[in-house]
Amino acid sequence: QVQLVESGGGSVQAGGSLRLSCAASGDNFRTYSMGWFRQAPGMEREAVASLLNYITSTAPKYADSVMGRFNISRDNGMKTLYLQMSNLKPEDTAVYYCAADPQNSAMLLGRPQFWGQGTQVTVSS
């Protein structure tokens, strides 16, 4: 069982940057596959970026729309997941959710078990 709490959302102008954080509670954080998802009004939730657990040690995965602008990272000692967002665009406006699952496959399928409450990111033009 893991609980997730996001922070760092806010309003920014296009071209600006934000860093989202996701603090996790519970044991064995490093064994969880972690990811960021977002949902814009009237749109389906979409995967933004993911990091598989330490056992797999693969490169992060990104949605094409954020490749080169967003960077996902994790600090296993601090039990925290980050999303550094740069060169933000109005189309990045959404509620961003942190997610976790002990199974890499669940994260890759976009069906992680554990979710945070979400943090709003608004990008104005």
Side-chain angles (χ1 to χ4, degrees), residues 28-34 51-59 74 76 101-105:
N28 302 317
F29 173 78
R30 65 176 185 159
T31 68
Y32 282 82
S33 180
M34 303 295 298
L51 266 178
L52 303 186
N53 64 31
Y54 79 106
I55 300 173
T56 307
S57 297
T58 59
R74 64 192 296 168
N76 289 330
D101 198 284
Q103 299 294 327
N104 289 329
S105 57

Side-chain angles (χ1 to χ4, degrees), residues 6-59:
E6 302 97 334
S7 61
S11 298
V12 65
Q13 289 191 327
S17 300
L18 283 173
R19 188 176 82 156
L20 305 183
S21 299
C22 172
S25 62
D27 296 327
N28 302 317
F29 173 78
R30 65 176 185 159
T31 68
Y32 282 82
S33 180
M34 303 295 298
W36 289 98
F37 294 74
R38 67 185 181 186
Q39 187 168 22
M43 304 290 285
E44 291 189 357
R45 186 175 60 204
E46 64 172 345
V48 175
S50 64
L51 266 178
L52 303 186
N53 64 31
Y54 79 106
I55 300 173
T56 307
S57 297
T58 59

